[in-house]
Amino acid sequence: MQLHLRRLTRLGLFGLHIVLGLFMGLAARFSPRPERWSQRWFRGLLRVFRVRLEVVGQPTGQGALFAGNHISWLDIAVLVSAHPVIFVSKAEVAGWPLIGWLARAGGTLFIERGAHGTQALNEELTALLRAGRCVVIFPEATTTRGESVRTFHSRLFAGAINSDRPVQPFALRYREACVPYVDDQSLIDNLWALLGEPAIHAELHLGAPLPAADTRKAAARATQAWVESALAQRASWHSGLPEMKERAGRN
């Protein structure tokens, strides 16, 4: 009974938050920094899902390519809550009802299939990084359960090399087994499982900017090596940002 009530209550709050997102999305479309509106909305989303966020390390300044492992759609809320960032997503998301509209309003970049699509996206990435914006990529190009990482694809690291901007690696971990959005699970099923959790514990480890690499493959290998090392040492992670600890306590 308590589980059923919890899910229904949070489902109602989630619906109200989606409506709020429509108004915030309109504001974001007329903002020079739409990612800041995304940050406000996603921080609210973490409160709806009772996410306790712990962050180790500091986001680098402006103009960095964030790259790390990918576990769930919830990764987006976690990362943008820690720092205003723009995401790169597969082109199919742009056509999803409501979600696609919200993603576009938040400044999300979409990658089209094929070499031409990658080249055009890297040009956008380069321009954003040179302008001091921060962009997130998930080089695995898929989600995993977070216990290990798959090979990091190198093509989107070209933006950092072309703009001479740093790569900031990150590693994500969730303590609840229901969080990973993998295999054939539907988004609805995943949402329903998350709504039933008393709380969700998310850990984000931000590494120091990596030394400049000569090639995108070298950048991808160095980033993957850092993420693998961070996940192997995750038992020793501890809270790093006081403001994030305070927010976690209010959720």
Side-chain angles (χ1 to χ4, degrees):
M1 180 65 182
Q2 185 177 4
L3 175 61
H4 186 63
L5 181 60
R6 180 189 303 137
R7 279 177 166 152
L8 289 180
T9 300
R10 290 186 186 169
L11 185 60
L13 292 173
F14 180 56
L16 290 174
H17 197 63
I18 290 291
V19 174
L20 176 62
L22 296 176
F23 291 98
M24 295 180 74
L26 288 174
R29 282 182 171 271
F30 296 99
S31 171
R33 299 294 295 268
E35 62 269 33
R36 295 193 180 277
W37 286 97
S38 293
Q39 185 179 57
R40 296 186 184 100
W41 189 80
F42 278 115
R43 282 179 173 175
L45 188 68
L46 293 188
R47 288 192 289 271
V48 170
F49 282 89
R50 304 287 291 176
V51 176
R52 269 68 166 167
L53 174 57
E54 294 187 41
V55 180
V56 178
Q58 292 278 0
T60 189
Q62 297 181 337
L65 184 70
F66 287 65
N69 63 318
H70 194 15
I71 298 173
S72 167
W73 61 270
L74 202 57
D75 300 348
I76 296 172
V78 167
L79 284 160
V80 77
S81 292
H83 192 65
V85 291
I86 296 170
F87 290 89
V88 174
S89 177
K90 59 183 181 180
E92 290 85 346
V93 173
W96 290 1
L98 186 58
I99 294 176
W101 186 87
L102 289 171
R104 290 192 300 272
T108 299
L109 303 177
F110 297 100
I111 181 168
E112 301 285 347
R113 296 183 185 277
H116 177 72
T118 301
Q119 180 181 351
L121 178 58
N122 273 321
E123 290 174 358
E124 289 185 88
L125 275 172
T126 300
L128 286 169
L129 293 171
R130 284 176 175 166
R133 313 287 280 280
C134 293
V135 183
V136 173
I137 61 172
F138 295 111
E140 293 169 293
T142 188
T143 53
T144 71
R145 296 192 181 278
E147 299 166 352
S148 60
V149 297
R150 296 191 179 187
T151 300
F152 277 20
H153 299 283
S154 64
R155 53 183 179 170
L156 295 183
F157 285 89
I161 294 173
N162 294 339
S163 62
D164 195 28
R165 301 303 301 164
V167 174
Q168 178 157 32
F170 64 82
L172 282 162
R173 175 181 176 240
Y174 300 92
R175 299 181 195 174
E176 286 69 35
C178 67
V179 174
Y181 180 36
V182 293
D183 303 328
D184 296 326
Q185 186 183 38
S186 70
L187 180 59
I188 297 299
D189 287 342
N190 186 261
L191 280 170
W192 192 244
L194 298 186
L195 289 170
E197 286 291 328
I200 296 171
H201 300 84
E203 300 171 359
L204 171 63
H205 191 170
L206 295 167
L210 296 174
D214 294 329
T215 67
R216 64 186 192 183
K217 289 186 177 180
R221 286 196 297 267
T223 306
Q224 180 175 343
W226 184 93
V227 174
E228 289 174 337
S229 176
L231 290 175
Q233 301 172 26
R234 63 191 179 190
S236 64
W237 292 10
H238 57 83
S239 300
L241 295 180
E243 62 269 25
M244 297 309 295
K245 286 181 65 181
E246 181 182 350
R247 186 181 310 118
R250 292 198 304 265
N251 281 356

